[in-house]
Amino acid sequence: MARELQIADACCGLAATPLSEDDAERFAVMFKALGDPIRLRLAALIAAQDEVCVCDLTPQFELADSTISHHLKVLRDAGLVGSQRRGTWVYYRVHPDALQALGVLLQPVGGAD
Amino acid sequence: MARELQIADACCGLAATPLSEDDAERFAVMFKALGDPIRLRLAALIAAQDEVCVCDLTPQFELADSTISHHLKVLRDAGLVGSQRRGTWVYYRVHPDALQALGVLLQPVGGAD
DNA sequence: TCCTTGGATCGATCAATGTCGAAACAGATT
DNA sequence: AATCTGTTTCGACATTGATCGATCCAAGGA
């Protein structure tokens, strides 16, 4: 059951949100996932296209394949991306809703006050 | 010298950004800073007002003052907030530009495709 | 001057994380 | 079935990070 991302709480940005402990916990997981240079680049590479084969990602880093796989799992567990196996290869794509929820949380900070 | 946050690279969001290793490094520091529930709540509390006295923050957490101070330092080092001492008390305020840069990086992911 | 109070820093401890190589797993090909 | 290739999982290790108590510093008040 792909949980529905019930993050309606992110309606008004950090500034307007008292941000319950639960929400803070959930959002922090996502921010933490993006809080690593490798994962941030991975996320950018995936977001740049509809979907990306892992086999196209690993060559772009000087890290063991298992390490890249680990980082992809962190992004997956955070709900930021999803994966799908087709034949031999595995393809990753972003979950736009998740990234957008984080964006909304940050955006209006200096906006309408 | 409050460094000028030269993050013009964040013009087009994750999707459009090849995201150089350097940029990834810089942004990751900020995301990582927000990647802790305590710090995320601190950031929200600070963003909710023009400025906030540390003395108003510490009572809202069941943590040692030194721990809160440490988390504030992480937010400060990431460039997300700034502090100013006035007499006995220290006041924190957000750096809207920094938060906004992160927001822009995330926002347009699912936007115009 | 000496205490008190608000904050930051330091040093120590324990948990979490990044990294790797080895092994396991899933499909495809022979 | 045997094997090859792409991907993930599994220990293991070194590094980082969260937390605390103790200490230090700055500003006020006795």
Side-chain angles (χ1 to χ4, degrees):
Chain A
M1 64 165 186
R3 75 173 181 292
E4 280 293 322
L5 250 221
Q6 66 278 39
I7 315 190
D9 331 355
C11 65
C12 309
L14 267 186
T17 315
L19 206 56
S20 73
E21 298 187 29
D22 275 4
D23 287 343
E25 206 87 39
R26 274 187 297 133
F27 284 118
V29 170
M30 303 192 212
F31 280 123
K32 188 187 297 186
L34 295 177
D36 177 280
I38 301 295
R39 287 197 293 268
L40 196 52
R41 287 171 60 200
L42 282 170
L45 287 170
I46 298 171
Q49 308 179 46
D50 231 37
E51 61 179 14
V52 183
C53 176
V54 175
C55 61
D56 289 328
L57 292 174
T58 48
Q60 308 204 35
F61 299 84
E62 299 195 344
L63 291 173
D65 289 0
S66 60
T67 301
I68 298 297
S69 186
H70 160 72
H71 284 305
L72 288 172
K73 177 175 165 55
V74 174
L75 290 173
R76 235 188 311 138
D77 289 348
L80 296 174
V81 305
S83 67
Q84 185 195 9
R85 167 163 233 132
R86 281 206 307 280
T88 304
W89 290 279
V90 175
Y91 297 87
Y92 275 77
R93 60 174 64 212
V94 297
H95 287 165
D97 295 355
L99 289 181
Q100 197 164 359
L102 294 186
V104 177
L105 194 65
L106 296 175
Q107 202 66 285
V109 164
D113 48 3
Chain B
M1 61 163 188
R3 74 172 180 291
E4 279 293 320
L5 253 221
Q6 67 277 40
I7 316 190
D9 330 356
C11 64
C12 310
L14 265 187
T17 313
L19 205 57
S20 74
E21 299 186 30
D22 275 4
D23 287 342
E25 206 87 38
R26 272 187 299 135
F27 285 117
V29 170
M30 302 192 213
F31 280 124
K32 188 186 298 187
L34 295 176
D36 178 279
I38 302 295
R39 287 197 293 268
L40 195 51
R41 287 170 60 199
L42 281 170
L45 288 169
I46 297 171
Q49 307 179 47
D50 231 37
E51 61 177 14
V52 183
C53 176
V54 175
C55 60
D56 289 328
L57 293 173
T58 48
Q60 311 204 34
F61 301 85
E62 300 196 343
L63 291 173
D65 290 2
S66 60
T67 302
I68 299 297
S69 187
H70 160 71
H71 284 304
L72 288 172
K73 177 175 165 54
V74 173
L75 290 173
R76 234 189 312 140
D77 289 349
L80 296 174
V81 305
S83 66
Q84 185 195 9
R85 165 163 235 132
R86 280 207 307 279
T88 304
W89 290 280
V90 176
Y91 297 87
Y92 275 78
R93 59 174 65 211
V94 298
H95 287 163
D97 296 355
L99 289 181
Q100 196 164 359
L102 295 185
V104 177
L105 195 65
L106 295 175
Q107 202 67 284
V109 163
D113 49 1

